[in-house]
Amino acid sequence: MKTELFFRQFLGQEEKLPQWIRESINDKIILYSFVDLDSQYESNQQWLVIGRDNLYIVGKSIEREIKLAEIASIKESDSLSSTSLTFIKAHDLPPLLRVNSTLRQKPMLSQIKFYLEEIVSKNSHALWDKLDADSQYQKMITQKVVEAQSSGKVEDRQTLGRLLTYLKPYRKDLAWGACGAFGATLIGLVPPYVSGKVIDHVVKPFQDGKLDLAEAMKIGWILIATLAVSYAMKELFMWIRLRKMSILGEKVAYDLRIELYSHLQTLGLDFFAKKHSGSIITRVSSDTDRIWDFIAFGIVEVSVSIMMLTSLAIVLITLNPLLGLTMTIPVPLLLISIYFHGERMKRIFIRCWRKWSDVTSVLSDTIPGIQVVKAFNQEEREKKRFHQKLDRVTNEFFNVHLSWTKFWPKLMLGIHAITVLTWSLAFPKLVSSDPTLTAGVFVSFLLYMTMFSQPIEIIGQVTRMLNRAISSAYRIFEILDAQPSIFESKSPIVLSDIKGNIEFKNVFYSYDGVRTVLKNMSFSVKQGEMIGLVGESGGGKSTITKLIARFYDVTNGQITIDGVDVKEIETSSLKKSIGMVLQEPYLFHGSIAENIAYARPEASLKEIISASKDGNAHDFIMRLPFGYDTVIGERGHTLSGGERQRVSIARAILADPKILILDEATSAVDTETERKIQEALDRLAKGRTVFAVAHRLSTLQKADRLIVIKKGEIVESGTHQELLQLVDGEYAKLHHMQSELNAEFVKGE
């Protein structure tokens, strides 16, 4: 959908600042936002425009103009349905301006607040001059809409229709299953009919002396054989249906799991930062299992039940119009009641699965972190937290059971009432020897009546199954509809031999679209150069490395490798050229050899051992009970921190990357282990472009150049010795502080 249509039709506002306002304002426009509430919180149409020198409120004309230099602070306040910005000149004076808007405009207003605070503190526009006001406005306004799009309410028919598309590859199996189901249904109509014929054409004529024994026995055995064959045929058709549909359900669940897991691999880190791992795991496992249940049994059962009801209605009306209509006319009312009950159940089921995700989230938190739980003696607290979550989900499941157990007896009572009414109408006809209702016909009628309740019961049960499946499908499609934040270029460039020349050109980046983490950052790195990134925590050092690896895309600006924009490089060739050794290495459950070879599964044992030797890991591995075949626990918890780090380094060495990222790789180990790790890192860094993030400055003295980051900006750059000569510089202060701490530590010993 085009941006213009989306903004005007669905948001009720312009997709960008009107041209006449741009022409009226004699100022460079930096940012702007739509203001849709007035001072009385009633609907309004104004624009808040920020220029280089002034702030403007524009309605049908420019209504207010305030110099930015007059603004001392900005206060943001939110309510349940609105947000406000108050512009203050001095705390002892009335506010300069207050603007109100709905929460839809909040992201843009928050960015304006952040920008103005930057101006107030730095009195500089340099960081914002390269931002495009139109793209920022459109991105901020649509961001929440795009995120919520997949989780919004979707029509059941759309969800069900989408779910049924997964049956297309298995049309043949579905056809066999349907044939089995319909065949069993049609054959199932034969026994009651034959039973009636036995009464009317064998038993009664024989009792009346109209049929001799031999003839009665002959006809009787033929009818009994027909019964036997029909029962056998029915079970054969049932076997075909069960076999085909149960396997078909597994195939669909398999496809859903593969598609879901594959799609998860395409999503960026920002998606996983917003979703709890327990919720994601539940959707891949439990939700797909509920869909298997519906596909395997629900789809055909509903179709068969509707067909059975239709066939029974025709047969019953044919046998006796009055009694047949008495049985069939109330059925639509019963089905309507089942539908409305299903709607209530669906809402309850959605709440159930959400709260069930909370339970799995607790498990996914505590089980990997069980050492921390025990270290801080928090077992009772975690038990209490688990009980609270479990109590909530159990109460919701109680609501499920209370709802259907209240409804089901009423439904069955309605069916029994129809049966009693039918008996009331049939009994006078039987005792009065009404020729329109013979004993045989009534026997057939009774047997069909017993069959009549079954499809209604099945439809009721499948409705529960359908609601469970649809609520699970909502959650699955929510993930499948999530858009990756990183897109492959339409014509990606494969860099088969990346050299490692990297350049940042006026790079801006924000995680949330409001707070800018990197601001107008520019620097270049030559092939084989080692760059140390230093500075205070939260300054943006790790963000730089994540942008190089393209875990995120820059908000503005450009990053190039060997002169090619990283957005244009094929993702696979980019990732193969980058190796990472992190502060907390992640190891998978499996053997040490498998973990080292993770980046290159085809690597030989000889290559794995060679990488381990270069990573100073071979000696401790050989001391383990099974050497390289030793299975380490989840996250490698059976190894020490230093051992895990050396396995991680060996993994990076085996990958043989051209660009290496070291993020606090030696920060959490003892001195001897640090020495071994540093030796391994020195070997790993040879001939590669290296970015090393460290707070321990002694580990960066071998760097060719140090870049000092403060609040998202480069404040200093140079070698270790050059930066120390800047007495009042940030690096010199950090170095002096760490030297004093080390001296105090040695003195204390």
Side-chain angles (χ1 to χ4, degrees):
M1 183 177 293
K2 293 183 178 180
T3 303
E4 179 180 353
L5 179 62
F6 178 79
F7 268 80
R8 294 186 180 182
Q9 184 170 337
F10 293 99
L11 302 183
Q13 62 191 74
E14 299 285 340
E15 79 281 3
K16 60 183 179 181
L17 189 68
Q19 185 61 33
W20 72 266
I21 296 180
R22 299 172 192 268
E23 295 170 355
S24 301
I25 294 176
N26 188 24
D27 198 349
K28 175 178 173 57
I29 296 173
I30 306 296
L31 293 170
Y32 60 81
S33 177
F34 188 64
V35 179
D36 52 7
L37 293 177
D38 62 15
S39 59
Q40 303 300 316
Y41 293 93
E42 295 183 357
S43 182
N44 184 37
Q45 290 192 355
Q46 289 180 316
W47 292 89
L48 171 64
V49 183
I50 308 299
R52 284 183 60 84
D53 302 313
N54 300 307
L55 174 154
Y56 306 88
I57 292 291
V58 186
K60 294 182 179 180
S61 61
I62 298 176
E63 299 174 2
R64 289 287 304 275
E65 183 175 338
I66 299 172
K67 291 187 177 298
L68 297 185
E70 295 182 36
I71 301 173
S73 62
I74 305 99
K75 181 182 178 183
E76 185 176 20
S77 55
D78 297 331
S79 66
L80 289 175
S81 59
S82 65
T83 185
S84 301
L85 286 186
T86 304
F87 300 88
I88 299 171
K89 182 175 183 178
H91 290 291
D92 57 347
L93 294 175
L96 290 168
L97 175 70
R98 179 185 174 92
V99 294
N100 303 315
S101 282
T102 60
L103 293 178
R104 180 186 295 157
Q105 318 302 330
K106 177 177 169 58
M108 194 64 238
L109 290 175
S110 296
Q111 189 171 62
I112 288 175
K113 174 178 179 288
F114 179 73
Y115 163 71
L116 291 176
E117 288 175 340
E118 289 277 297
I119 297 298
V120 169
S121 62
K122 297 182 180 177
N123 194 27
S124 172
H125 297 269
L127 302 180
W128 300 83
D129 280 344
K130 294 185 178 296
L131 293 181
D132 181 71
D134 291 340
S135 63
Q136 287 297 113
Y137 167 72
Q138 292 172 4
K139 179 183 176 182
M140 291 296 101
I141 299 303
T142 59
Q143 185 176 12
K144 294 296 182 182
V145 177
V146 171
E147 289 176 3
Q149 185 178 15
S150 59
S151 59
K153 187 178 185 329
V154 182
E155 289 295 327
D156 290 353
R157 279 180 290 182
Q158 294 177 357
T159 303
L160 182 59
R162 184 174 175 182
L163 191 58
L164 294 180
T165 60
Y166 287 87
L167 293 171
K168 285 184 179 179
Y170 310 108
R171 286 188 288 261
K172 186 177 178 181
D173 291 334
L174 179 62
W176 274 106
C179 287
F182 292 136
T185 301
L186 294 175
I187 294 295
L189 297 173
V190 172
Y193 180 80
V194 172
S195 299
K197 291 297 181 183
V198 169
I199 299 295
D200 282 346
H201 296 280
V202 180
V203 176
K204 195 171 186 306
F206 177 75
Q207 290 175 342
D208 294 342
K210 297 178 181 179
L211 195 66
D212 60 37
L213 178 61
E215 189 66 19
M217 291 295 291
K218 179 182 177 181
I219 298 173
W221 281 116
I222 291 174
L223 293 176
I224 291 172
T226 304
L227 281 175
V229 171
S230 64
Y231 283 131
M233 290 293 292
K234 180 181 178 182
E235 292 308 313
L236 174 62
F237 281 121
M238 288 295 291
W239 173 78
I240 294 173
R241 193 213 78 176
L242 290 173
R243 182 180 178 85
K244 290 296 181 181
M245 294 309 296
S246 59
I247 293 175
L248 175 59
E250 285 293 355
K251 288 178 179 178
V252 171
Y254 174 86
D255 290 345
L256 271 172
R257 288 168 185 146
I258 290 293
E259 183 179 355
L260 194 55
Y261 189 75
S262 298
H263 186 68
L264 284 171
Q265 304 305 314
T266 69
L267 298 177
L269 295 183
D270 53 341
F271 173 83
F272 296 96
K274 297 170 187 173
K275 297 285 185 182
H276 203 290
S277 58
S279 173
I280 296 173
I281 291 169
T282 300
R283 298 177 200 214
V284 178
S285 55
S286 302
D287 284 330
T288 53
D289 198 50
R290 295 184 192 108
I291 287 173
W292 166 84
D293 200 26
F294 172 67
I295 295 292
F297 302 106
I299 293 176
V300 173
E301 290 288 1
V302 169
S303 303
V304 167
S305 296
I306 292 172
M307 181 181 176
M308 175 70 83
L309 284 174
T310 305
S311 302
L312 285 172
I314 294 171
V315 171
L316 289 173
I317 293 172
T318 302
L319 287 173
N320 189 286
L322 177 62
L323 299 183
L325 290 172
T326 303
M327 285 291 295
T328 56
I329 287 176
V331 169
L333 298 176
L334 297 177
L335 297 180
I336 290 171
S337 68
I338 290 174
Y339 169 77
F340 284 110
H341 170 68
E343 288 297 299
R344 290 194 297 272
M345 293 291 287
K346 181 187 68 180
R347 291 190 290 270
I348 300 174
F349 274 125
I350 290 175
R351 292 199 300 269
C352 285
W353 307 145
R354 286 175 179 166
K355 290 181 179 175
W356 184 251
S357 291
D358 293 340
V359 173
T360 57
S361 295
V362 173
L363 293 173
S364 64
D365 269 346
T366 53
I367 292 176
I370 193 67
Q371 185 174 345
V372 177
V373 174
K374 292 184 176 296
F376 289 94
N377 192 32
Q378 293 298 310
E379 291 90 342
E380 291 302 320
R381 175 187 174 187
E382 291 301 331
K383 283 161 63 176
K384 183 178 179 181
R385 187 160 74 108
F386 181 76
H387 287 165
Q388 287 175 343
K389 300 293 185 183
L390 194 59
D391 284 344
R392 289 173 186 170
V393 74
T394 302
N395 287 335
E396 287 297 343
F397 280 116
F398 283 165
N399 290 334
V400 169
H401 299 308
L402 288 172
S403 181
W404 79 264
T405 53
K406 186 188 296 183
F407 171 77
W408 200 253
K410 294 177 182 177
L411 178 68
M412 297 312 298
L413 188 62
I415 295 173
H416 296 323
I418 296 171
T419 304
V420 171
L421 178 61
T422 304
W423 264 102
S424 300
L425 295 173
F427 186 71
K429 293 179 178 291
L430 285 171
V431 297
S432 64
S433 299
D434 188 334
T436 61
L437 186 64
T438 64
V441 170
F442 190 64
V443 167
S444 297
F445 206 94
L446 287 177
L447 292 174
Y448 283 128
M449 282 172 59
T450 59
M451 295 173 61
F452 205 82
S453 63
Q454 183 183 3
I456 296 177
E457 291 180 37
I458 289 174
I459 290 173
Q461 292 167 358
V462 170
T463 300
R464 284 182 58 212
M465 195 183 297
L466 172 64
N467 289 323
R468 287 162 59 106
I470 286 181
S471 61
S472 292
Y474 280 152
R475 290 158 49 78
I476 289 172
F477 293 148
E478 181 184 353
I479 291 182
L480 290 177
D481 290 341
Q483 295 297 314
S485 56
I486 306 297
F487 291 96
E488 187 84 86
S489 171
K490 291 182 179 179
S491 301
I493 299 171
V494 179
L495 295 183
S496 55
D497 185 24
I498 289 180
K499 294 179 174 58
N501 297 303
I502 299 174
E503 185 174 5
F504 274 53
K505 300 178 181 179
N506 306 113
V507 169
F508 289 79
Y509 182 70
S510 171
Y511 286 101
D512 57 10
V514 176
R515 189 175 70 90
T516 304
V517 180
L518 299 183
K519 308 166 187 175
N520 201 30
M521 186 166 287
S522 298
F523 63 85
S524 60
V525 179
K526 296 179 181 179
Q527 173 185 354
E529 195 174 5
M530 181 177 181
I531 302 298
L533 300 175
V534 299
E536 60 190 15
S537 295
K541 303 183 297 298
S542 294
T543 301
I544 292 173
T545 64
K546 291 174 182 176
L547 291 176
I548 293 171
R550 212 187 167 204
F551 291 151
Y552 303 96
D553 274 339
V554 298
T555 303
N556 220 308
Q558 186 183 50
I559 299 174
T560 64
I561 296 180
D562 295 345
V564 181
D565 192 325
V566 291
K567 294 180 181 179
E568 300 299 323
I569 301 175
E570 184 193 47
T571 304
S572 177
S573 65
L574 175 65
K575 297 296 173 65
K576 286 178 181 177
S577 302
I578 298 176
M580 303 188 79
V581 180
L582 305 177
Q583 178 179 2
E584 184 59 39
Y586 192 98
L587 301 182
F588 297 93
H589 182 82
S591 70
I592 289 182
E594 289 170 341
N595 271 279
I596 294 174
Y598 186 75
R600 282 183 55 207
E602 74 284 358
S604 66
L605 181 60
K606 182 178 179 180
E607 291 174 309
I608 292 171
I609 293 174
S610 176
S612 299
K613 288 180 178 178
D614 288 342
N616 278 351
H618 179 71
D619 291 342
F620 90 78
I621 292 173
M622 295 308 296
R623 290 194 295 269
L624 296 173
F626 301 101
Y628 284 87
D629 291 327
T630 301
V631 175
I632 57 177
E634 185 180 7
R635 300 173 187 262
H637 74 272
T638 58
L639 302 179
S640 69
E643 289 170 342
R644 288 198 299 273
Q645 193 63 282
R646 280 178 278 172
V647 170
S648 175
I649 293 170
R651 181 167 62 191
I653 291 172
L654 186 62
D656 192 24
K658 298 294 184 181
I659 301 168
L660 181 63
I661 294 171
L662 308 175
D663 196 344
E664 298 285 359
T666 63
S667 65
V669 294
D670 60 81
T671 305
E672 178 60 23
T673 303
E674 180 186 357
R675 183 185 63 78
K676 293 179 180 179
I677 292 175
Q678 195 59 53
E679 288 176 358
L681 291 176
D682 291 343
R683 284 194 287 270
L684 174 59
K686 286 181 181 178
R688 311 178 200 279
T689 302
V690 180
F691 285 84
V693 178
H695 285 99
R696 197 180 299 178
L697 302 183
S698 59
T699 62
L700 297 177
Q701 292 186 12
K702 293 182 181 180
D704 298 302
R705 186 157 39 111
L706 299 174
I707 297 178
V708 184
I709 313 293
K710 185 175 182 181
K711 294 182 178 179
E713 299 177 79
I714 297 175
V715 293
E716 293 171 7
S717 179
T719 65
H720 172 70
Q721 292 299 330
E722 289 172 349
L723 295 181
L724 284 180
Q725 292 175 9
L726 302 175
V727 180
D728 294 327
E730 291 295 326
Y731 182 79
K733 291 177 183 177
L734 289 171
H735 189 272
H736 180 67
M737 189 184 305
Q738 288 193 12
S739 298
E740 285 186 342
L741 288 173
N742 290 336
E744 290 179 9
F745 178 74
V746 172
K747 184 178 179 181
E749 289 185 335

